[in-house]
Structures are given as structure tokens and as C-alpha cells.
Amino acid sequence: MTTTPGTRTPGPRNSLTDPAPAPGAPLRFAYGTNGFGDHRLPDALRVLADLGYDGVSLTLDHQHLDPYAPDLPRRIADVRRVLDVTGLGLVVETGARYLLDPWRKHRPTLLSAEADGRARRLDLLRCAIGIGAELGAGAVHFWSGAADPGTGQDEAWARLVDGCAETVAHADAAGVDLAFEPEPGMLVADLAGYRRLDDALGRPDRFRLTLDIGHCRCLEPHSVTRCVELAADRLAHVQIEDMRRGVHEHLPFGDGDIHFPPVLAALGAAGYRGLVSVELPRHSHAATATARHSIEFLRSAALLKEVVPV
């Protein structure tokens, strides 16, 4: 199923040609709906707005704006009305666990051995781009996935480049930025992998980056603040949570070992204008309390000016 972009003007872009805001401009905090899985989507949006969030990272899923629902146009219109009333900014995410396959988490992918599986992932990305255009999203987020057993790295890489090139063409036509996320355990796991992929695609302007702050702490060879500096020229989206070195587990702030004031200062110094989205997908059972704690923590951390390596 595909969705034709509407006429609603997309939100602010993060294009390399856009004038950057002055360093130190306030960061825009958001929260991911994958951490509000027990809420109706309109309720989740209103809660986040009431807590003072500036935006939302909306994961398309069976319970939240299912892209394959028969009444999708009405649902999009309903979400648009809530966004207009609350003033929330938006990133559309495509990382639902079992949306495409009820048996296999995060499958199929752009790397899948079955052509039909790759086509289903591409269709989801096309649909997400259309939804993003209609809702004025700042970006549409996606990742590579992991190669199937028996698929060689060269073959997986070729499939990924082909799939990303096709997705970039759709994003160009819709006027929507893509925000590709390196993800631990996937074919593209780190910033170096993103740079390699970006180069293979010819560095298209719409093929931007999601930087996950926890992932930087988990596996990157640089400090988290240095990762922000290295990624600044391509950033379209930032995900944020606490994490420990070498362990890919998204933790509430204060439960890991990241020191956040210098990280937020680095984002501000880079003139980053997109959303900084809390990514706690395993905390729907305590969504409102976790969201409240997160915004309070981030606001406090953003007020501290100390800059030390992380």
C-alpha cells in the first residue's frame, strides 16, 4: 500500500543549505511513541504536549497509525489535527517490531533474500514518506536491518545500496528528508558505516542521519561529544537515552553511564535544529512517569554548561 503525499507544507528541514540557528539555541525535546504502546495515539500526543515536549517520534505500528489500516486517510487527518492543536513537531519512524511479519522481529528488511520481502520493506518506506509529507514531518527514520543467514556481506551491501537509492528517489519526490540510523547488530552499525553508505549513494542531500546518543556510548570508538561533532553536518534526527559501554540496552536517564550536559551542549553548539527524541521502547508500562522524568532530566542537563569528554 502506498500513500500519496498531500499538500501540507513540510516542517523545518535540516538541509545543508538551510541557514543554521545561532549556537546555543534551545534544543527541541521529543518522545517516541514506541514508549507509549499502551496509549491511544491522540492521548499519547496530548500527554507529551502537556508535559512540555516539543515533538514526537511516531513509530508506524498496528496500534499507532497503522500504515495498512483501511481507514488510513482518516487516521492521518485525525493525527494532523492533534499535531496542529498541540504544536508538536514530528519525525516518522519505521522500526516497528512485527508490523511486516508476525513471526520475525524487524523483518523483512532491505537486505532480505526474498525479493518479495525487500519489496514489502520498500513499500513501507514509501508509505512512511507519504505519511511524513502529509503530516509535515521533519524526517522519516529507517535503518539497514541485519543480513539473513547465508547472505554474504557484499550481496547484503548491494541490496542495501539499491534499496536506499530507491527510497531517496521517493523522498526527493515528496520533499521529505530521510534520517538513516546506524544500529548495533545491523549491517550498518556505526557512524563509519553510515559514511560508507552515504558515499556509495553519492551523498544525496535527502539522505541524512539519525544519531542515537546511547549507541555512541555503546560502541563508537569516540567520545559521545566527539560523535556529535563528527555527525553534525548530516544530522536530521537525534535519539537519546542512557546506556552503558558495550551493552545495547536503552536505559532511563541516570541508569547508564553517559554524562549528558556536554552532549546537549555539543548539539547546541552544532546549531542542531531537529528533534532530540527520547527512545525508551520498553517502558510503555510506565510511559507517563518515564516521559515526565525524561523531560525534567533533559531540561536540567541542558542548563548545565560544563563540557567534559564523555
Side-chain angles (χ1 to χ4, degrees), residues 52-252:
Y53 282 93
D54 301 295
V56 61
S57 295
L58 170 57
T59 298
L60 304 179
D61 208 344
H62 61 90
Q63 80 277 41
H64 288 158
L65 199 58
D66 183 348
Y68 301 107
D71 56 349
L72 181 60
R74 179 190 62 78
R75 290 171 181 256
I76 292 174
D78 290 345
V79 172
R80 182 168 59 236
R81 281 191 289 271
V82 178
L83 292 175
D84 288 342
V85 169
T86 60
L88 292 171
L90 176 73
V91 168
V92 172
E93 300 206 9
T94 60
R97 293 183 176 96
Y98 293 101
L99 182 63
L100 296 180
D101 188 329
W103 289 95
R104 300 183 302 164
K105 178 182 175 182
H106 290 157
R107 303 287 177 150
T109 73
L110 295 177
L111 319 178
S112 293
E114 307 88 359
D116 176 68
R118 297 196 299 275
R120 280 189 286 149
R121 177 60 63 174
L122 283 168
D123 185 64
L124 174 61
L125 294 176
R126 283 193 296 269
C127 188
I129 289 167
I131 292 172
E134 293 202 40
L135 294 178
V140 171
H141 161 280
F142 73 117
W143 33 242
S144 68
D148 292 340
T151 299
Q153 291 293 298
D154 290 345
E155 185 176 17
W157 187 260
R159 290 172 182 166
L160 177 61
V161 172
D162 287 346
C164 286
E166 185 171 336
T167 303
V168 168
H170 287 291
D172 275 334
V176 175
D177 281 349
L178 300 172
F180 185 93
E181 181 191 6
E183 178 83 18
M186 294 190 178
L187 182 66
V188 177
D190 54 20
L191 287 173
Y194 166 77
R195 292 291 184 179
R196 179 189 172 197
L197 179 58
D198 194 27
D199 288 343
L201 293 167
R203 302 194 78 245
D205 185 46
R206 293 285 181 190
F207 189 73
R208 312 303 294 283
L209 172 69
T210 290
L211 182 71
D212 188 297
I213 297 302
H215 296 173
C216 295
R217 179 58 180 156
C218 176
L219 54 67
E220 293 286 352
H222 310 286
S223 71
V224 183
T225 51
R226 180 58 179 155
C227 287
V228 171
E229 295 167 355
L230 292 171
D233 65 316
R234 301 297 284 173
L235 274 184
H237 185 213
V238 171
Q239 293 177 336
I240 194 165
E241 68 284 313
D242 217 339
M243 204 168 286
R244 299 188 182 98
R245 186 70 178 170
V247 182
H248 183 205
E249 182 181 2
H250 291 231
L251 300 172

